[in-house]
Amino acid sequence: MKKLSTGKIWLFAVGQFGWSLLSGIISNWLVYFYQPDQTSIDQGQTVFIPQGLVILGIFTVIGAITAFGRIFDAITDPLIASWSDRCQAKAGRRIPFLKWASFPLALSTVLVFWSPITETSWVNAGFLFLMVMVYYLSITAYCTPYNALIPELGHTQQERLNISTVISFTFIAGTAVAYVAPMLWGALIPAFGRIGAIRVTFTGMAVIAFLCMLVPVFSIREKEYVNTVPTEDTAFRSLAATFRNGEFRKFVGSDILYWIAITMFQTGLPFFVTSLLKLPETMTTLYFVGMTALSLIFYVPINKLTVRLGKKKLILFAFAVFSAAYFYTGFLGKMTGISETIQGWILTVAAALPMAVFGILPQAVVADIAQSDAKTSGSNREGMFYAARTFAFKLGQSLSMLLFTAVSTIGTATGAGYRVAAFVAAGFCLLGGIIFAFYNEKRINQVIWEEHS
């Protein structure tokens, strides 16, 4: 099998930029758009769906919709993975899924923000629910086969680490571009109004993302680099076999808690800026872009340190730093003697290094586990390993959305709910690090080294 050149790795990574841009739009701005704070309403934001704890007296409408979407997404993950692992198409097991999922993913991302009624209405809530379901089905159909290509295109641990590093760069770049949205729609408001400007901004981003997602489809001939036999296991048997891997269960346990924490943080960041720091929403863009740019500086050192220290030590360090950063977030706007702008920049600097670590290494850890499992079991279930990971952490994200949208309603006038969300995120992150401490990296590496010896 051919080795993936550096140029081809970057072409493959362009696809990650595309879907991460769309994912960033949804994860960063969906709640902000549909459960606006008073600052956004004062600036002309329309309230499209009923607000408050109206479902069972516990959940907000947007919280319930997004949580159900994550659960639906998690359920479809193993199904898509099974179809991909068993696919016998001439173009390969993964590329056909990337090709056909790109357009519905881009279109549904735009339509999520295109409520048919121009005022508060349950019709808007129903339409939003439908579009969110289409979005999650589409992103699963693209991302699960895409991630399964990582251990297949990378034939050694170093090659897989290199691929993970590059796609982490494009993932962060895509997410960062999504955070630029307020600056773009701010410039368009005079021409289109606030709602129109937001929709035009997201539409333009979705077009760019769609074109990017097609780049690996037309630039990489899968079968020139991958020589795997489609599995014959059903989705249930394959998923059950995947979770029988003890080291994978430890990783997934920690990963669930990490994603609960990071989802609460990312969803809350615009509110942390506007409600706690009392800064313009455009500062969200500056902080996240700054965080992204600074994290990129750490990419090369992390790649080199991983070879010397291993993935486990660096991930544990990142868990600790992220926990401290989230805890600090709960005190934003309360620190006398430090301007609100500087408080935001301190958070930006603190989160940059762990952001880089989690951007690169978890994907490589899953690739290592998948390869070692294929060696010991004789079954190529790369797609199912990534689907099982996303199945688990999306359930965690569902809980995160329910938690954030519920606690954020506490003390809305003072922003107390946003502080509670930050402290809860810190606790989940710390617990995730404790669980990952039991991951046996040496055992996984030994199986891989025996294969290549």
Side-chain angles (χ1 to χ4, degrees):
M1 289 290 99
K2 293 173 60 176
K3 177 182 177 180
L4 203 66
S5 66
T6 300
K8 290 288 186 179
I9 290 176
W10 279 101
L11 290 173
F12 175 67
V14 171
Q16 177 106 344
F17 174 86
W19 77 255
S20 67
L21 172 54
L22 299 179
S23 175
I25 291 173
I26 297 297
S27 61
N28 299 331
W29 302 115
L30 180 61
V31 174
Y32 190 73
F33 187 84
Y34 282 107
Q35 190 173 303
D37 58 12
Q38 191 58 48
T39 301
S40 297
I41 295 174
D42 292 341
Q43 293 174 352
Q45 177 66 42
T46 301
V47 179
F48 286 104
I49 63 176
Q51 303 293 295
L53 302 176
V54 297
I55 298 180
L56 301 179
I58 302 174
F59 309 125
T60 63
V61 173
I62 185 62
I65 290 175
T66 53
F68 188 87
R70 297 286 188 181
I71 294 172
F72 174 75
D73 189 19
I75 293 172
T76 56
D77 267 324
L79 295 177
I80 297 294
S82 178
W83 295 339
S84 179
D85 283 343
R86 300 166 67 182
C87 180
Q88 300 186 30
K90 292 182 180 180
R93 297 195 294 173
R94 319 299 183 187
I95 292 296
F97 285 85
L98 274 58
K99 180 179 180 181
W100 295 110
S102 300
F103 181 72
L105 175 53
L107 179 62
S108 61
T109 302
V110 174
L111 292 180
V112 158
F113 297 91
W114 220 279
S115 299
I117 308 297
T118 58
E119 59 186 12
T120 305
S121 170
W122 281 101
V123 173
N124 290 335
F127 181 81
L128 175 61
F129 176 82
L130 178 62
M131 289 302 103
V132 166
M133 296 307 108
V134 175
Y135 164 80
Y136 279 119
L137 178 61
S138 301
I139 199 168
T140 297
Y142 190 94
C143 293
T144 297
Y146 182 92
N147 288 330
L149 281 170
I150 299 172
E152 295 177 338
L153 295 175
H155 302 146
T156 66
Q157 280 188 305
Q158 186 58 51
E159 289 178 11
R160 290 191 293 275
L161 180 60
N162 291 341
I163 294 173
S164 295
T165 301
V166 174
I167 67 172
S168 176
F169 174 86
T170 53
F171 175 82
I172 289 182
T175 307
V177 171
Y179 263 109
V180 175
M183 288 189 169
L184 298 178
W185 79 55
L188 295 173
I189 285 177
F192 298 98
R194 180 179 173 87
I195 301 302
I198 292 174
R199 289 171 175 170
V200 169
T201 297
F202 291 157
T203 300
M205 288 182 170
V207 171
I208 295 172
F210 169 64
L211 296 176
C212 289
M213 288 188 291
L214 290 178
V215 170
V217 173
F218 295 105
S219 63
I220 296 178
R221 296 181 181 273
E222 181 181 334
K223 290 197 171 182
E224 292 183 1
Y225 303 93
V226 179
N227 182 24
T228 55
V229 179
T231 182
E232 296 182 358
D233 287 344
T234 64
F236 179 78
R237 288 204 305 265
S238 182
L239 182 63
T242 300
F243 274 107
R244 281 198 293 269
N245 187 304
E247 300 310 315
F248 183 69
R249 290 198 303 272
K250 297 171 189 175
F251 169 80
V252 165
S254 69
D255 206 42
I256 291 173
L257 298 171
Y258 162 74
W259 281 101
I260 292 175
I262 192 66
T263 302
M264 294 187 76
F265 178 74
Q266 289 181 334
T267 304
L269 186 57
F271 300 104
F272 300 150
V273 171
T274 59
S275 293
L276 301 187
L277 294 176
K278 307 298 182 183
L279 296 173
E281 63 184 5
T282 52
M283 287 301 296
T284 303
T285 299
L286 294 179
Y287 287 141
F288 191 83
V289 171
M291 192 185 306
T292 301
L294 186 58
S295 70
L296 295 179
I297 297 175
F298 297 115
Y299 269 41
V300 173
I302 288 172
N303 195 302
K304 294 183 180 300
L305 282 173
T306 300
V307 178
R308 296 179 55 187
L309 302 177
K311 303 176 184 71
K312 179 178 178 178
K313 291 180 180 179
L314 289 176
I315 291 177
L316 287 175
F317 174 75
F319 265 119
V321 177
F322 251 154
S323 298
Y326 295 155
F327 186 76
Y328 164 82
T329 300
F331 295 97
L332 290 178
K334 293 290 187 180
M335 290 168 273
T336 58
I338 305 176
S339 73
E340 285 77 8
T341 302
I342 296 300
Q343 291 178 41
W345 284 116
I346 292 174
L347 176 62
T348 297
V349 173
L353 178 56
M355 182 179 179
V357 172
F358 279 109
I360 299 173
L361 299 186
Q363 293 277 42
V365 170
V366 177
D368 289 345
I369 295 174
Q371 186 188 19
S372 66
D373 185 84
K375 171 65 176 177
T376 56
S377 69
S379 180
N380 295 301
R381 295 193 306 272
E382 294 86 356
M384 188 57 73
F385 268 99
Y386 281 96
R389 180 205 177 190
T390 53
F391 173 82
F393 81 62
K394 285 170 184 175
L395 289 178
Q397 287 179 320
S398 301
L399 175 61
S400 176
M401 295 304 295
L402 289 174
L403 285 172
F404 181 85
T405 54
V407 302
S408 63
T409 62
I410 300 172
T412 53
T414 63
Y418 302 132
R419 300 187 191 279
V420 173
F423 292 139
V424 170
F428 276 116
C429 199
L430 181 61
L431 184 57
I434 293 173
I435 292 176
F436 190 71
F438 294 95
Y439 171 68
N440 193 335
E441 184 178 36
K442 291 182 179 179
R443 178 183 299 171
I444 297 297
N445 288 339
Q446 184 176 1
V447 173
I448 295 174
W449 292 336
E450 288 175 354
E451 178 184 6
H452 293 288
S453 61

